[in-house]
Short mmCIF file of all heavy atoms in Angstrom, two decimals:
data_model
loop_
_atom_site.label_atom_id
_atom_site.label_comp_id
_atom_site.label_asym_id
_atom_site.label_seq_id
_atom_site.Cartn_x
_atom_site.Cartn_y
_atom_site.Cartn_z
N MET X 39 89.18 97.62 103.69
CA MET X 39 90.22 96.68 103.34
C MET X 39 91.51 97.08 104.06
O MET X 39 91.77 98.25 104.26
CB MET X 39 90.42 96.70 101.82
CG MET X 39 91.50 95.77 101.35
SD MET X 39 91.74 95.92 99.58
CE MET X 39 91.31 94.30 99.08
N ILE X 40 92.27 96.07 104.43
CA ILE X 40 93.56 96.31 105.09
C ILE X 40 94.65 95.84 104.13
O ILE X 40 94.61 94.71 103.65
CB ILE X 40 93.67 95.55 106.41
CG1 ILE X 40 92.57 96.01 107.37
CG2 ILE X 40 95.05 95.74 107.03
CD1 ILE X 40 92.48 95.19 108.64
N THR X 41 95.60 96.71 103.83
CA THR X 41 96.69 96.34 102.92
C THR X 41 98.04 96.52 103.62
O THR X 41 98.18 97.36 104.51
CB THR X 41 96.68 97.20 101.64
OG1 THR X 41 96.84 98.56 102.00
CG2 THR X 41 95.38 97.03 100.88
N ILE X 42 98.99 95.70 103.20
CA ILE X 42 100.36 95.79 103.72
C ILE X 42 101.24 96.26 102.58
O ILE X 42 101.28 95.64 101.52
CB ILE X 42 100.83 94.43 104.27
CG1 ILE X 42 99.92 94.01 105.42
CG2 ILE X 42 102.29 94.52 104.74
CD1 ILE X 42 100.20 92.62 105.96
N ASP X 43 101.92 97.37 102.79
CA ASP X 43 102.73 97.99 101.74
C ASP X 43 104.20 97.93 102.16
O ASP X 43 104.69 98.80 102.88
CB ASP X 43 102.27 99.44 101.55
CG ASP X 43 103.03 100.16 100.46
OD1 ASP X 43 103.74 99.48 99.69
OD2 ASP X 43 102.92 101.40 100.38
N VAL X 44 104.89 96.87 101.73
CA VAL X 44 106.32 96.73 102.03
C VAL X 44 107.06 96.36 100.75
O VAL X 44 106.48 95.80 99.82
CB VAL X 44 106.60 95.65 103.10
CG1 VAL X 44 106.05 96.07 104.45
CG2 VAL X 44 106.03 94.32 102.69
N ALA X 45 108.35 96.65 100.71
CA ALA X 45 109.17 96.32 99.55
C ALA X 45 109.61 94.85 99.60
O ALA X 45 109.55 94.22 100.67
CB ALA X 45 110.41 97.23 99.52
N GLU X 46 110.05 94.35 98.47
CA GLU X 46 110.50 92.97 98.41
C GLU X 46 111.67 92.73 99.38
O GLU X 46 111.75 91.69 100.03
CB GLU X 46 110.91 92.62 96.97
CG GLU X 46 111.20 91.16 96.76
CD GLU X 46 111.52 90.86 95.32
OE1 GLU X 46 111.05 91.60 94.43
OE2 GLU X 46 112.26 89.89 95.08
N TYR X 47 112.56 93.72 99.50
CA TYR X 47 113.72 93.54 100.37
C TYR X 47 113.37 93.54 101.86
O TYR X 47 114.21 93.29 102.71
CB TYR X 47 114.81 94.59 100.08
CG TYR X 47 114.34 96.03 100.11
CD1 TYR X 47 114.04 96.68 101.29
CD2 TYR X 47 114.23 96.75 98.92
CE1 TYR X 47 113.62 97.99 101.32
CE2 TYR X 47 113.80 98.07 98.92
CZ TYR X 47 113.51 98.69 100.13
OH TYR X 47 113.09 100.00 100.14
N CYS X 48 112.12 93.78 102.20
CA CYS X 48 111.68 93.79 103.59
C CYS X 48 111.34 92.39 104.12
O CYS X 48 111.15 92.22 105.33
CB CYS X 48 110.44 94.65 103.76
SG CYS X 48 110.68 96.37 103.32
N SER X 49 111.28 91.42 103.24
CA SER X 49 110.69 90.12 103.60
C SER X 49 111.37 89.44 104.79
O SER X 49 110.70 88.74 105.54
CB SER X 49 110.68 89.19 102.39
OG SER X 49 111.98 88.94 101.97
N SER X 50 112.67 89.61 104.97
CA SER X 50 113.31 88.94 106.11
C SER X 50 113.95 89.95 107.06
O SER X 50 114.85 89.60 107.82
CB SER X 50 114.34 87.93 105.60
OG SER X 50 115.28 88.57 104.79
N CYS X 51 113.49 91.17 107.03
CA CYS X 51 114.05 92.22 107.88
C CYS X 51 113.56 92.08 109.32
O CYS X 51 112.39 91.79 109.56
CB CYS X 51 113.66 93.59 107.34
SG CYS X 51 114.31 94.95 108.32
N MET X 52 114.45 92.30 110.26
CA MET X 52 114.08 92.22 111.67
C MET X 52 113.84 93.59 112.27
O MET X 52 113.60 93.72 113.47
CB MET X 52 115.18 91.48 112.45
CG MET X 52 115.33 90.03 111.99
SD MET X 52 116.62 89.14 112.84
CE MET X 52 115.92 89.00 114.47
N ASP X 53 113.92 94.65 111.46
CA ASP X 53 113.71 96.01 111.94
C ASP X 53 112.35 96.58 111.56
O ASP X 53 112.14 97.79 111.66
CB ASP X 53 114.81 96.94 111.40
CG ASP X 53 116.15 96.67 112.06
OD1 ASP X 53 116.15 96.21 113.21
OD2 ASP X 53 117.18 96.91 111.42
N PHE X 54 111.44 95.72 111.10
CA PHE X 54 110.12 96.22 110.70
C PHE X 54 109.45 96.93 111.87
O PHE X 54 109.34 96.39 112.97
CB PHE X 54 109.25 95.05 110.22
CG PHE X 54 107.88 95.49 109.77
CD1 PHE X 54 107.72 96.18 108.58
CD2 PHE X 54 106.76 95.21 110.53
CE1 PHE X 54 106.47 96.58 108.16
CE2 PHE X 54 105.50 95.61 110.12
CZ PHE X 54 105.36 96.30 108.92
N ASP X 55 109.06 98.16 111.63
CA ASP X 55 108.43 98.98 112.66
C ASP X 55 107.09 99.47 112.09
O ASP X 55 107.05 100.40 111.29
CB ASP X 55 109.35 100.17 112.99
CG ASP X 55 108.79 101.03 114.09
OD1 ASP X 55 107.91 100.58 114.83
OD2 ASP X 55 109.24 102.19 114.19
N PRO X 56 105.99 98.83 112.48
CA PRO X 56 104.70 99.12 111.85
C PRO X 56 104.27 100.58 111.99
O PRO X 56 104.39 101.18 113.05
CB PRO X 56 103.72 98.21 112.59
CG PRO X 56 104.54 97.21 113.31
CD PRO X 56 105.88 97.81 113.53
N ASP X 57 103.79 101.12 110.89
CA ASP X 57 103.26 102.48 110.84
C ASP X 57 101.89 102.33 110.16
O ASP X 57 101.81 102.03 108.98
CB ASP X 57 104.20 103.36 110.02
CG ASP X 57 103.65 104.76 109.83
OD1 ASP X 57 102.72 105.16 110.56
OD2 ASP X 57 104.16 105.47 108.94
N VAL X 58 100.83 102.51 110.93
CA VAL X 58 99.48 102.24 110.42
C VAL X 58 98.80 103.54 110.01
O VAL X 58 98.68 104.47 110.81
CB VAL X 58 98.62 101.52 111.48
CG1 VAL X 58 97.22 101.27 110.95
CG2 VAL X 58 99.29 100.22 111.91
N GLN X 59 98.40 103.57 108.74
CA GLN X 59 97.60 104.70 108.26
C GLN X 59 96.13 104.30 108.37
O GLN X 59 95.68 103.37 107.72
CB GLN X 59 97.95 105.02 106.81
CG GLN X 59 97.14 106.15 106.22
CD GLN X 59 97.48 106.39 104.77
OE1 GLN X 59 98.64 106.59 104.43
NE2 GLN X 59 96.48 106.32 103.90
N ARG X 60 95.40 104.96 109.24
CA ARG X 60 94.00 104.63 109.49
C ARG X 60 93.12 105.03 108.30
O ARG X 60 93.47 105.95 107.56
CB ARG X 60 93.51 105.36 110.75
CG ARG X 60 94.35 105.11 111.95
CD ARG X 60 93.92 103.85 112.65
NE ARG X 60 94.84 103.57 113.75
CZ ARG X 60 95.08 102.37 114.21
NH1 ARG X 60 94.48 101.32 113.68
NH2 ARG X 60 95.91 102.18 115.19
N PRO X 61 91.99 104.37 108.16
CA PRO X 61 91.09 104.71 107.06
C PRO X 61 90.60 106.16 107.17
O PRO X 61 90.35 106.64 108.27
CB PRO X 61 89.92 103.74 107.21
CG PRO X 61 90.25 102.82 108.30
CD PRO X 61 91.48 103.28 109.00
N GLN X 62 90.50 106.80 106.03
CA GLN X 62 90.02 108.19 105.96
C GLN X 62 88.63 108.20 105.32
O GLN X 62 88.42 107.50 104.32
CB GLN X 62 90.97 109.05 105.12
CG GLN X 62 92.42 109.01 105.57
CD GLN X 62 92.63 109.68 106.91
OE1 GLN X 62 92.15 110.78 107.13
NE2 GLN X 62 93.34 109.00 107.80
N LYS X 63 87.74 108.96 105.87
CA LYS X 63 86.42 109.09 105.27
C LYS X 63 86.36 110.38 104.46
O LYS X 63 86.90 111.40 104.88
CB LYS X 63 85.34 109.13 106.35
CG LYS X 63 85.14 107.83 107.06
CD LYS X 63 84.02 107.94 108.08
CE LYS X 63 83.83 106.62 108.82
NZ LYS X 63 82.77 106.72 109.84
N ALA X 64 85.70 110.31 103.33
CA ALA X 64 85.49 111.50 102.51
C ALA X 64 83.99 111.77 102.46
O ALA X 64 83.19 110.85 102.33
CB ALA X 64 86.04 111.27 101.11
N TYR X 65 83.66 113.03 102.60
CA TYR X 65 82.24 113.40 102.61
C TYR X 65 81.94 114.34 101.45
O TYR X 65 82.78 115.15 101.05
CB TYR X 65 81.89 114.12 103.92
CG TYR X 65 81.99 113.23 105.13
CD1 TYR X 65 83.18 113.15 105.85
CD2 TYR X 65 80.90 112.48 105.54
CE1 TYR X 65 83.28 112.33 106.96
CE2 TYR X 65 80.99 111.65 106.66
CZ TYR X 65 82.18 111.59 107.36
OH TYR X 65 82.29 110.78 108.46
N GLY X 66 80.76 114.23 100.92
CA GLY X 66 80.28 115.15 99.91
C GLY X 66 78.86 115.56 100.29
O GLY X 66 78.00 114.71 100.49
N MET X 67 78.64 116.85 100.47
CA MET X 67 77.31 117.36 100.85
C MET X 67 76.82 116.68 102.14
O MET X 67 75.69 116.21 102.23
CB MET X 67 76.30 117.15 99.73
CG MET X 67 76.71 117.76 98.41
SD MET X 67 76.76 119.55 98.47
CE MET X 67 75.03 119.92 98.50
N SER X 68 77.75 116.56 103.13
CA SER X 68 77.48 115.95 104.44
C SER X 68 77.12 114.47 104.37
O SER X 68 76.63 113.90 105.31
CB SER X 68 76.41 116.73 105.21
OG SER X 68 75.14 116.49 104.67
N GLU X 69 77.38 113.87 103.24
CA GLU X 69 77.10 112.45 103.07
C GLU X 69 78.42 111.70 102.85
O GLU X 69 79.25 112.14 102.06
CB GLU X 69 76.19 112.26 101.85
CG GLU X 69 75.76 110.84 101.61
CD GLU X 69 74.85 110.76 100.39
OE1 GLU X 69 74.08 111.72 100.16
OE2 GLU X 69 74.92 109.77 99.68
N GLU X 70 78.61 110.60 103.57
CA GLU X 70 79.85 109.82 103.42
C GLU X 70 79.87 109.17 102.04
O GLU X 70 78.93 108.47 101.66
CB GLU X 70 79.89 108.75 104.50
CG GLU X 70 81.17 107.95 104.50
CD GLU X 70 81.15 106.91 105.63
OE1 GLU X 70 80.92 107.29 106.78
OE2 GLU X 70 81.35 105.75 105.32
N ILE X 71 80.94 109.40 101.26
CA ILE X 71 80.97 108.84 99.91
C ILE X 71 82.12 107.85 99.70
O ILE X 71 82.06 107.05 98.79
CB ILE X 71 81.05 109.94 98.82
CG1 ILE X 71 82.24 110.86 99.05
CG2 ILE X 71 79.76 110.72 98.78
CD1 ILE X 71 82.46 111.85 97.94
N ALA X 72 83.17 107.88 100.53
CA ALA X 72 84.27 106.94 100.33
C ALA X 72 85.06 106.76 101.62
O ALA X 72 85.17 107.68 102.43
CB ALA X 72 85.20 107.45 99.24
N ILE X 73 85.58 105.57 101.80
CA ILE X 73 86.46 105.28 102.93
C ILE X 73 87.72 104.65 102.37
O ILE X 73 87.64 103.67 101.61
CB ILE X 73 85.80 104.31 103.94
CG1 ILE X 73 84.50 104.90 104.47
CG2 ILE X 73 86.76 104.00 105.08
CD1 ILE X 73 83.73 103.97 105.37
N SER X 74 88.89 105.20 102.71
CA SER X 74 90.14 104.64 102.21
C SER X 74 90.53 103.39 102.98
O SER X 74 89.96 103.08 104.03
CB SER X 74 91.26 105.68 102.29
OG SER X 74 91.54 105.95 103.64
N ASP X 75 91.52 102.67 102.47
CA ASP X 75 92.01 101.46 103.11
C ASP X 75 92.83 101.78 104.35
O ASP X 75 93.37 102.87 104.50
CB ASP X 75 92.92 100.69 102.15
CG ASP X 75 92.15 100.11 100.98
OD1 ASP X 75 90.92 100.08 101.03
OD2 ASP X 75 92.83 99.68 100.02
N THR X 76 92.94 100.80 105.22
CA THR X 76 93.94 100.84 106.29
C THR X 76 95.23 100.32 105.66
O THR X 76 95.23 99.26 105.03
CB THR X 76 93.54 99.92 107.45
OG1 THR X 76 92.33 100.41 108.03
CG2 THR X 76 94.63 99.87 108.51
N VAL X 77 96.32 101.08 105.79
CA VAL X 77 97.59 100.69 105.16
C VAL X 77 98.65 100.52 106.25
O VAL X 77 98.86 101.41 107.06
CB VAL X 77 98.06 101.74 104.13
CG1 VAL X 77 99.34 101.29 103.45
CG2 VAL X 77 96.97 102.01 103.10
N ILE X 78 99.30 99.35 106.23
CA ILE X 78 100.37 99.07 107.18
C ILE X 78 101.70 99.15 106.43
O ILE X 78 101.91 98.43 105.45
CB ILE X 78 100.19 97.68 107.81
CG1 ILE X 78 98.83 97.62 108.53
CG2 ILE X 78 101.33 97.38 108.79
CD1 ILE X 78 98.44 96.24 108.98
N ARG X 79 102.57 100.04 106.88
CA ARG X 79 103.89 100.23 106.26
C ARG X 79 104.94 100.25 107.36
O ARG X 79 104.62 100.25 108.53
CB ARG X 79 103.92 101.56 105.50
CG ARG X 79 102.88 101.65 104.43
CD ARG X 79 102.91 102.98 103.73
NE ARG X 79 102.48 104.04 104.64
CZ ARG X 79 102.14 105.25 104.26
NH1 ARG X 79 102.20 105.58 103.00
NH2 ARG X 79 101.78 106.15 105.14
N CYS X 80 106.19 100.29 106.95
CA CYS X 80 107.28 100.39 107.92
C CYS X 80 107.66 101.85 108.10
O CYS X 80 107.77 102.59 107.11
CB CYS X 80 108.48 99.58 107.44
SG CYS X 80 109.87 99.66 108.60
N SER X 81 107.87 102.26 109.34
CA SER X 81 108.24 103.66 109.58
C SER X 81 109.63 104.00 109.06
O SER X 81 109.97 105.17 108.93
CB SER X 81 108.14 103.97 111.08
OG SER X 81 109.07 103.21 111.79
N ASN X 82 110.44 102.99 108.75
CA ASN X 82 111.79 103.21 108.22
C ASN X 82 111.84 103.21 106.69
O ASN X 82 112.92 103.22 106.11
CB ASN X 82 112.74 102.13 108.74
CG ASN X 82 112.83 102.11 110.24
OD1 ASN X 82 112.90 103.16 110.87
ND2 ASN X 82 112.81 100.93 110.83
N ARG X 83 110.69 103.17 106.04
CA ARG X 83 110.65 102.95 104.59
C ARG X 83 111.41 104.00 103.79
O ARG X 83 112.04 103.67 102.78
CB ARG X 83 109.20 102.85 104.10
CG ARG X 83 108.39 104.12 104.29
CD ARG X 83 106.92 103.89 104.00
NE ARG X 83 106.12 105.06 104.25
CZ ARG X 83 105.70 105.44 105.46
NH1 ARG X 83 105.99 104.72 106.52
NH2 ARG X 83 104.97 106.53 105.61
N ASN X 84 111.37 105.26 104.19
CA ASN X 84 112.05 106.30 103.42
C ASN X 84 113.57 106.13 103.50
O ASN X 84 114.27 106.27 102.50
CB ASN X 84 111.63 107.69 103.89
CG ASN X 84 110.19 107.99 103.54
OD1 ASN X 84 109.65 107.44 102.59
ND2 ASN X 84 109.56 108.84 104.32
N ARG X 85 114.06 105.81 104.70
CA ARG X 85 115.51 105.58 104.86
C ARG X 85 115.96 104.42 103.97
O ARG X 85 116.94 104.54 103.23
CB ARG X 85 115.83 105.28 106.32
CG ARG X 85 117.30 104.98 106.57
CD ARG X 85 117.53 104.27 107.88
NE ARG X 85 116.90 102.95 107.86
CZ ARG X 85 116.82 102.15 108.90
NH1 ARG X 85 117.31 102.52 110.06
NH2 ARG X 85 116.25 100.97 108.81
N CYS X 86 115.24 103.31 104.04
CA CYS X 86 115.64 102.13 103.28
C CYS X 86 115.50 102.35 101.78
O CYS X 86 116.31 101.86 101.00
CB CYS X 86 114.84 100.92 103.73
SG CYS X 86 115.23 100.46 105.43
N LYS X 87 114.48 103.08 101.36
CA LYS X 87 114.32 103.39 99.93
C LYS X 87 115.50 104.22 99.44
O LYS X 87 116.01 104.00 98.33
CB LYS X 87 113.00 104.14 99.71
CG LYS X 87 112.64 104.31 98.27
CD LYS X 87 112.20 102.99 97.71
CE LYS X 87 111.89 103.07 96.24
NZ LYS X 87 111.70 101.74 95.65
N ASN X 88 115.96 105.17 100.25
CA ASN X 88 117.10 106.00 99.87
C ASN X 88 118.38 105.16 99.80
O ASN X 88 119.22 105.38 98.92
CB ASN X 88 117.27 107.16 100.85
CG ASN X 88 116.22 108.21 100.66
OD1 ASN X 88 115.67 108.37 99.57
ND2 ASN X 88 115.92 108.95 101.72
N ILE X 89 118.55 104.22 100.72
CA ILE X 89 119.72 103.34 100.68
C ILE X 89 119.68 102.50 99.41
O ILE X 89 120.68 102.35 98.71
CB ILE X 89 119.76 102.44 101.94
CG1 ILE X 89 120.04 103.27 103.18
CG2 ILE X 89 120.81 101.33 101.77
CD1 ILE X 89 119.88 102.52 104.49
N GLU X 90 118.51 101.95 99.08
CA GLU X 90 118.38 101.16 97.86
C GLU X 90 118.74 102.00 96.62
O GLU X 90 119.47 101.57 95.75
CB GLU X 90 116.96 100.61 97.71
CG GLU X 90 116.82 99.76 96.46
CD GLU X 90 115.38 99.55 96.03
OE1 GLU X 90 114.53 100.42 96.30
OE2 GLU X 90 115.12 98.52 95.39
N ARG X 91 118.21 103.22 96.57
CA ARG X 91 118.47 104.10 95.42
C ARG X 91 119.96 104.39 95.31
O ARG X 91 120.53 104.37 94.22
CB ARG X 91 117.68 105.40 95.61
CG ARG X 91 117.64 106.28 94.39
CD ARG X 91 116.77 107.50 94.59
NE ARG X 91 115.42 107.14 94.96
CZ ARG X 91 114.73 107.69 95.96
NH1 ARG X 91 115.25 108.63 96.69
NH2 ARG X 91 113.51 107.30 96.23
N TYR X 92 120.62 104.64 96.46
CA TYR X 92 122.05 104.92 96.46
C TYR X 92 122.84 103.72 95.95
O TYR X 92 123.73 103.86 95.11
CB TYR X 92 122.48 105.27 97.89
CG TYR X 92 123.97 105.40 98.06
CD1 TYR X 92 124.62 106.57 97.69
CD2 TYR X 92 124.72 104.36 98.58
CE1 TYR X 92 126.00 106.70 97.84
CE2 TYR X 92 126.09 104.47 98.74
CZ TYR X 92 126.72 105.64 98.36
OH TYR X 92 128.07 105.75 98.50
N LEU X 93 122.50 102.52 96.47
CA LEU X 93 123.24 101.32 96.07
C LEU X 93 123.02 101.00 94.59
O LEU X 93 123.95 100.56 93.90
CB LEU X 93 122.84 100.14 96.95
CG LEU X 93 123.29 100.25 98.40
CD1 LEU X 93 122.72 99.11 99.23
CD2 LEU X 93 124.81 100.28 98.51
N ARG X 94 121.82 101.22 94.09
CA ARG X 94 121.57 100.95 92.67
C ARG X 94 122.38 101.86 91.78
O ARG X 94 122.81 101.49 90.70
CB ARG X 94 120.08 101.08 92.35
CG ARG X 94 119.26 99.91 92.84
CD ARG X 94 117.84 99.95 92.33
NE ARG X 94 117.05 98.89 92.90
CZ ARG X 94 117.05 97.63 92.47
NH1 ARG X 94 117.82 97.29 91.45
NH2 ARG X 94 116.31 96.72 93.05
N LYS X 95 122.58 103.09 92.22
CA LYS X 95 123.42 104.02 91.44
C LYS X 95 124.88 103.60 91.46
O LYS X 95 125.61 103.81 90.50
CB LYS X 95 123.32 105.44 92.02
CG LYS X 95 122.10 106.18 91.61
CD LYS X 95 122.18 107.60 92.17
CE LYS X 95 120.86 108.30 92.03
NZ LYS X 95 120.88 109.58 92.76
N LYS X 96 125.33 103.00 92.58
CA LYS X 96 126.73 102.67 92.74
C LYS X 96 127.15 101.37 92.08
O LYS X 96 128.31 101.19 91.75
CB LYS X 96 127.07 102.56 94.24
CG LYS X 96 127.16 103.87 94.95
CD LYS X 96 128.40 104.60 94.52
CE LYS X 96 128.59 105.87 95.31
NZ LYS X 96 129.71 106.65 94.80
N VAL X 97 126.23 100.44 91.93
CA VAL X 97 126.58 99.11 91.45
C VAL X 97 126.02 98.87 90.06
O VAL X 97 124.86 99.14 89.80
CB VAL X 97 126.03 98.03 92.42
CG1 VAL X 97 126.37 96.63 91.93
CG2 VAL X 97 126.57 98.24 93.81
N THR X 98 126.85 98.34 89.19
CA THR X 98 126.38 97.97 87.87
C THR X 98 125.95 96.52 87.90
O THR X 98 126.11 95.83 88.89
CB THR X 98 127.49 98.16 86.82
OG1 THR X 98 128.59 97.35 87.20
CG2 THR X 98 127.92 99.61 86.74
N ASN X 99 125.44 96.01 86.81
CA ASN X 99 124.90 94.65 86.76
C ASN X 99 125.94 93.58 87.07
O ASN X 99 125.62 92.52 87.56
CB ASN X 99 124.29 94.37 85.39
CG ASN X 99 123.00 95.13 85.23
OD1 ASN X 99 122.40 95.55 86.20
ND2 ASN X 99 122.60 95.31 83.98
N ASP X 100 127.22 93.81 86.76
CA ASP X 100 128.22 92.78 87.02
C ASP X 100 128.82 92.90 88.42
O ASP X 100 129.80 92.23 88.74
CB ASP X 100 129.33 92.82 85.96
CG ASP X 100 130.05 94.15 85.94
OD1 ASP X 100 129.71 95.04 86.75
OD2 ASP X 100 130.96 94.31 85.12
N GLY X 101 128.28 93.72 89.27
CA GLY X 101 128.74 93.81 90.65
C GLY X 101 129.97 94.69 90.81
O GLY X 101 130.57 94.73 91.87
N VAL X 102 130.35 95.40 89.76
CA VAL X 102 131.51 96.28 89.83
C VAL X 102 131.02 97.71 89.90
O VAL X 102 130.11 98.11 89.17
CB VAL X 102 132.41 96.08 88.59
CG1 VAL X 102 133.57 97.08 88.62
CG2 VAL X 102 132.92 94.67 88.55
N GLY X 103 131.56 98.49 90.81
CA GLY X 103 131.15 99.88 90.95
C GLY X 103 131.44 100.68 89.70
O GLY X 103 132.26 100.30 88.86
N LYS X 104 130.79 101.80 89.54
CA LYS X 104 130.96 102.62 88.34
C LYS X 104 132.37 103.17 88.21
O LYS X 104 132.76 103.63 87.15
CB LYS X 104 129.93 103.75 88.33
CG LYS X 104 128.54 103.23 88.04
CD LYS X 104 127.54 104.35 87.94
CE LYS X 104 126.18 103.75 87.59
NZ LYS X 104 125.13 104.74 87.56
N THR X 105 133.11 103.15 89.31
CA THR X 105 134.49 103.62 89.26
C THR X 105 135.44 102.45 88.96
O THR X 105 136.65 102.59 89.08
CB THR X 105 134.90 104.26 90.59
OG1 THR X 105 134.72 103.30 91.63
CG2 THR X 105 134.07 105.49 90.88
N ASP X 106 134.90 101.28 88.58
CA ASP X 106 135.64 100.05 88.28
C ASP X 106 136.26 99.42 89.51
O ASP X 106 137.13 98.57 89.40
CB ASP X 106 136.72 100.28 87.21
CG ASP X 106 136.09 100.56 85.86
OD1 ASP X 106 134.95 100.09 85.63
OD2 ASP X 106 136.73 101.24 85.04
N GLU X 107 135.86 99.85 90.69
CA GLU X 107 136.33 99.21 91.91
C GLU X 107 135.35 98.10 92.26
O GLU X 107 134.13 98.31 92.19
CB GLU X 107 136.35 100.21 93.08
CG GLU X 107 137.28 101.36 92.85
CD GLU X 107 137.08 102.45 93.90
OE1 GLU X 107 136.49 102.15 94.98
OE2 GLU X 107 137.49 103.58 93.66
N ALA X 108 135.85 96.95 92.67
CA ALA X 108 134.98 95.87 93.11
C ALA X 108 134.27 96.30 94.39
O ALA X 108 134.86 96.92 95.26
CB ALA X 108 135.79 94.60 93.37
N MET X 109 132.97 96.01 94.45
CA MET X 109 132.20 96.36 95.64
C MET X 109 132.51 95.38 96.75
O MET X 109 132.69 94.20 96.50
CB MET X 109 130.70 96.36 95.32
CG MET X 109 130.33 97.36 94.23
SD MET X 109 130.70 99.06 94.66
CE MET X 109 129.41 99.37 95.84
N PRO X 110 132.58 95.82 98.00
CA PRO X 110 132.88 94.91 99.11
C PRO X 110 131.77 93.88 99.31
O PRO X 110 130.68 94.08 98.96
CB PRO X 110 132.98 95.83 100.31
CG PRO X 110 132.37 97.12 99.92
CD PRO X 110 132.36 97.18 98.44
S1 LIG C 469 111.61 99.46 105.29
FE1 LIG C 469 113.69 98.91 105.95
S2 LIG C 469 113.55 98.65 108.18
FE2 LIG C 469 111.48 98.53 107.35
S3 LIG C 469 111.09 96.35 107.02
FE3 LIG C 469 111.85 97.23 105.09
S4 LIG C 469 114.07 96.86 105.12
FE4 LIG C 469 113.29 96.62 107.22
#
């Protein structure tokens, strides 16, 4: 199976850079017992996840920063 693993905020991004994780085979007693999926992800995913985490910490639900400053 081939799966695409991207975040919701990736849907209209123009910087998508495919990073393909090839299927892995697992063997038991020299016999093939499982093959993992092929997974397509973005090579920038860790950077963007950290940016999302940072922004979520900075912004409250009403769009005002935790320091009561309006976010730009
Ligand atoms: S991880 Fe970042 S760079 Fe990659 S598609 Fe998503 S938003 Fe764009």
Side-chain angles (χ1 to χ4, degrees):
M39 179 183 242
I40 299 172
T41 60
I42 299 175
D43 181 12
V44 293
E46 188 177 333
Y47 53 73
C48 299
S49 63
S50 57
C51 180
M52 296 179 69
D53 288 332
F54 181 72
D55 183 18
D57 176 16
V58 179
Q59 178 183 306
R60 305 275 175 208
Q62 306 292 312
K63 290 182 181 178
Y65 294 91
M67 304 294 287
S68 74
E69 183 179 326
E70 184 179 307
I71 55 173
I73 301 175
S74 67
D75 291 347
T76 296
V77 182
I78 301 170
R79 301 178 292 195
C80 180
S81 64
N82 300 318
R83 64 189 177 279
N84 291 334
R85 178 198 65 186
C86 294
K87 189 72 184 170
N88 287 334
I89 292 171
E90 181 198 28
R91 192 176 303 133
Y92 172 81
L93 292 174
R94 285 189 185 279
K95 280 184 191 171
K96 286 288 185 186
V97 179
T98 59
N99 288 340
D100 61 0
V102 176
K104 287 184 178 176
T105 58
D106 292 333
E107 299 170 18
M109 299 299 286

